[in-house]
Amino acid sequence: MGPVNLHAPTPSFVSEYIVKFESDEDVVTSDLAVRNLFSQFPNNLDFDDILRKVIVLNQLYNTRLWTTATLTVARNIHKLNVDELLRRHETGVVASIAAARLKGKDWNFYSFASKYCSFHVPEAYPIYDQYVDRLLNTYRREFGFADFKAIQLKDYSVFKNVILQYRTFFELQSFPLKQLDKFLWMYGSELFGKSTKN
């Protein structure tokens, strides 16, 4: 892949991509359906409620959980005390949700877990996905807004800190994390992929 023509994330440029996100009927419909479901079932005590959220999030956000993994992840969330961790904005809850053991092998459903937490507490949990990862690394190389190695973005506490540094460096504090998520995903998907959720 050749060099990327990267645009500085000025407030007007960020706003332009948020509008693009919010003008994409398929993306907005999926986003609203997931938000409504998580609002309807805000707690994680009932297994059926958790499973419903996992299935819908996986389907509409294409988080690539297969059927067996969906059940395993839902059971894992049910066993964890995630509600208290989410209330305290604990970053470690992402890794706890992401970890799954299937057929004798360990899996890390990191992008799914960041989305699951984000739909519960959007102001505390920015969303990780492949486009955001590539975009942050490209901005780091071009602008030096933070000091991190690419692999470190797979540590959620580092990832969140990088997002906050990005927001501060480019003077985007007026944008809540959920709005910044929309920009990073929309612009990243335009640069590095096709416009389908993750």
Side-chain angles (χ1 to χ4, degrees), residues 13-106:
F13 186 71
V14 170
S15 295
E16 176 188 329
Y17 274 82
I18 291 170
V19 169
K20 282 186 180 184
F21 182 102
E22 293 173 349
S23 301
D24 186 315
E25 187 177 352
D26 290 344
V27 170
V28 169
T29 300
S30 296
D31 189 66
L32 183 59
V34 177
R35 278 194 287 125
N36 286 343
L37 181 65
F38 276 66
S39 294
Q40 187 179 353
F41 302 103
N43 299 316
N44 293 281
L45 300 174
D46 184 85
F47 177 75
D48 289 341
D49 294 348
I50 295 167
L51 183 59
R52 188 178 290 114
K53 288 186 287 188
V54 170
I55 289 169
V56 171
L57 177 60
N58 180 51
Q59 183 67 34
L60 294 181
Y61 266 66
N62 190 23
T63 63
R64 301 188 179 104
L65 298 180
W66 58 95
T67 304
T68 308
T70 300
L71 291 167
T72 300
V73 168
R75 289 186 189 110
N76 182 42
I77 293 168
H78 188 236
K79 283 191 299 188
L80 298 165
N81 183 21
V82 297
D83 292 329
E84 180 57 29
L85 297 171
L86 290 168
R87 272 192 290 275
R88 296 201 312 255
H89 300 175
E90 296 280 349
T91 56
V93 70
V94 174
S96 297
I97 290 172
R101 187 156 184 85
L102 291 154
K103 298 179 180 176
K105 184 176 178 184
D106 291 324

Side-chain angles (χ1 to χ4, degrees), residues 99-113:
R101 187 156 184 85
L102 291 154
K103 298 179 180 176
K105 184 176 178 184
D106 291 324
W107 296 85
N108 182 17
F109 299 112
Y110 181 48
S111 179
F112 167 84

Side-chain angles (χ1 to χ4, degrees), residues 9 145-146 160-175 177 180:
F145 75 91
K160 180 178 178 179
N161 190 45
V162 166
I163 292 282
L164 295 174
Q165 288 180 70
Y166 178 91
R167 187 167 65 171
T168 300
F169 183 90
F170 291 108
E171 299 180 353
L172 301 171
Q173 293 93 330
S174 62
F175 294 93
L177 287 180
L180 206 54

